[in-house]
Amino acid sequence: MRKILLALAAIVVALASAAAGWFGVKAWKASQSTEAPVPTPGATVETSGETIPLTFRLSEVEAAGDDLFDPPSCGETWTPESGEANGVLPKVDASLRQVQGVDTVTVVPGYTTSTAGLGFLASEGSIIVTRDDVVVTPDWGGEFVPEYFVAMPDETTLTQNNLEITGALLCDVSAGLNEIWQGFDWSTASEDEIAAKQAEAAAFYSAHEKLPAGTYRVYQWSPIILGEPAAIARVLSEEGITGLAGLQYNAGYTALVDDPEVAAHCTDHVDADGNLLNRSCDVPEDVLADALEREVPVEYIADVPPAVAFSVAAEFTVD
């Protein structure tokens, strides 16, 4: 899913079926941007000068969060209690509106804390949706994609990963959409066959423009990771290196590309005049780990284990 080619393929399917994972699309979009990342501020910490060498490994961070919580399956009854973890509380807003006649739920995830300037690793937006307390979350978007955040008291730090959900994507009906495209071979299909499939998909969307009646609750949950992973993430953020989950593919748009070992795994695509069109990378984790190693102040390290936090539900009713 995190291969750029697979992400591009996911976009093609998404345009036809809107059933692709949001992470692949987001990673692809990020790879097209050449804007420099903005450093994330943190609370000022008096340091002793003592440091230890640390690096960031995405696989280790993901593993630290993967075993903490199994999201409920489609059709399960689920009514969680909200609660913070390691001083962090997820916050989510959900609003229902009409977009060209289609019921569309916009989900805005974020985090807050009672601890000034707390830096942590957490999901960019892991969402669970229920209708009358029965899970109807879209099938995509359940994986833990960690990013470094700094939350402030009485404020909400937004993840910038807003999601849009329509009735056709809810898991209790989306199987019908998947069946339309299941086994369809775009490379060999005729124009008439493609048009027929697109018409079938359009009819499916039309049949699910309205959300079924009920009380909808949208929850955000996430592992909250401090300790050494958050400490190295903070140091990297202070350098302007963000988007840690996508660095394997987006390192070419950061200062890391100045490292010859990283640059060896990137390819520049230029136009006829030699102007850079885009830069594609696929950097092995071990190479990234070497490039990301830094001396980290010991004061940046909070010795607490990862834990899971759940937001208060954002709720709305469809009559």
Side-chain angles (χ1 to χ4, degrees), residues 119-153:
F120 55 94
L121 289 160
S123 168
E124 291 185 308
S126 295
I127 301 299
I128 296 173
V129 183
T130 66
R131 181 175 63 241
D132 297 333
D133 296 329
V134 175
V135 174
V136 292
T137 310
D139 294 330
W140 44 261
E143 63 184 349
F144 173 41
V145 182
E147 185 52 270
Y148 179 72
F149 300 102
V150 175
M152 304 296 290

Side-chain angles (χ1 to χ4, degrees), residues 177-210:
L177 181 60
N178 293 334
E179 288 173 3
I180 294 174
W181 298 104
Q182 186 71 35
F184 187 73
D185 190 343
W186 288 81
S187 63
T188 61
S190 67
E191 290 186 6
D192 287 344
E193 288 172 332
I194 293 174
K197 282 292 184 181
Q198 289 175 331
E200 193 176 351
F204 181 91
Y205 282 119
S206 179
H208 296 92
E209 288 182 348
K210 304 300 180 184

Side-chain angles (χ1 to χ4, degrees), residues 2 78 147 242 274 285 298:
R2 294 196 174 94
W78 194 69
E147 185 52 270
T242 59
E285 186 175 62
V298 295

Side-chain angles (χ1 to χ4, degrees), residues 33-306:
S33 173
T34 57
E35 295 180 1
V38 179
T40 305
T44 301
V45 175
E46 294 293 334
T47 60
S48 62
E50 182 183 356
T51 63
I52 62 171
L54 295 176
T55 190
F56 184 88
R57 285 183 176 270
L58 178 62
S59 62
E60 293 178 357
V61 176
E62 290 177 328
D66 282 345
D67 295 334
L68 296 176
F69 173 65
D70 290 324
S73 300
C74 184
E76 286 186 23
T77 299
W78 194 69
T79 53
E81 292 186 4
S82 66
E84 67 176 33
N86 291 332
V88 178
L89 180 68
K91 294 192 71 174
V92 65
D93 180 58
S95 58
L96 175 63
R97 59 195 177 98
Q98 289 266 313
V99 179
Q100 297 181 341
V102 178
D103 285 350
T104 303
V105 181
T106 299
V107 180
V108 181
Y111 294 97
T112 189
T113 182
S114 57
T115 303
L118 179 62
F120 55 94
L121 289 160
S123 168
E124 291 185 308
S126 295
I127 301 299
I128 296 173
V129 183
T130 66
R131 181 175 63 241
D132 297 333
D133 296 329
V134 175
V135 174
V136 292
T137 310
D139 294 330
W140 44 261
E143 63 184 349
F144 173 41
V145 182
E147 185 52 270
Y148 179 72
F149 300 102
V150 175
M152 304 296 290
D154 302 319
E155 297 180 8
T156 299
T157 297
L158 301 179
T159 72
Q160 307 301 321
N161 191 62
N162 298 356
L163 307 175
E164 289 196 342
I165 300 171
T166 63
L169 301 183
L170 298 180
C171 66
D172 54 348
V173 299
S174 62
L177 181 60
N178 293 334
E179 288 173 3
I180 294 174
W181 298 104
Q182 186 71 35
F184 187 73
D185 190 343
W186 288 81
S187 63
T188 61
S190 67
E191 290 186 6
D192 287 344
E193 288 172 332
I194 293 174
K197 282 292 184 181
Q198 289 175 331
E200 193 176 351
F204 181 91
Y205 282 119
S206 179
H208 296 92
E209 288 182 348
K210 304 300 180 184
L211 288 173
T215 298
Y216 288 79
R217 295 185 176 92
V218 181
Y219 304 88
Q220 183 190 354
W221 68 274
S222 178
I224 306 298
I225 299 175
L226 277 70
E228 292 183 356
I232 179 61
R234 173 175 177 171
V235 170
L236 294 171
S237 178
E238 290 169 351
E239 292 182 14
I241 299 175
T242 59
L244 299 175
L247 274 183
Q248 179 180 353
Y249 308 110
N250 303 329
Y253 295 104
T254 73
L256 295 175
V257 77
D258 294 335
D259 185 324
E261 295 298 322
V262 172
H265 298 278
C266 297
T267 302
D268 286 353
H269 304 276
V270 299
D271 62 18
D273 296 323
N275 299 310
L276 180 67
L277 296 174
N278 62 74
R279 177 177 290 139
S280 60
C281 300
D282 192 351
V283 187
E285 186 175 62
D286 286 344
V287 174
L288 265 184
D290 288 342
L292 294 174
E293 184 173 313
R294 301 288 188 275
E295 291 292 328
V296 176
V298 295
E299 289 81 6
Y300 283 15
I301 303 170
D303 187 17
V304 293

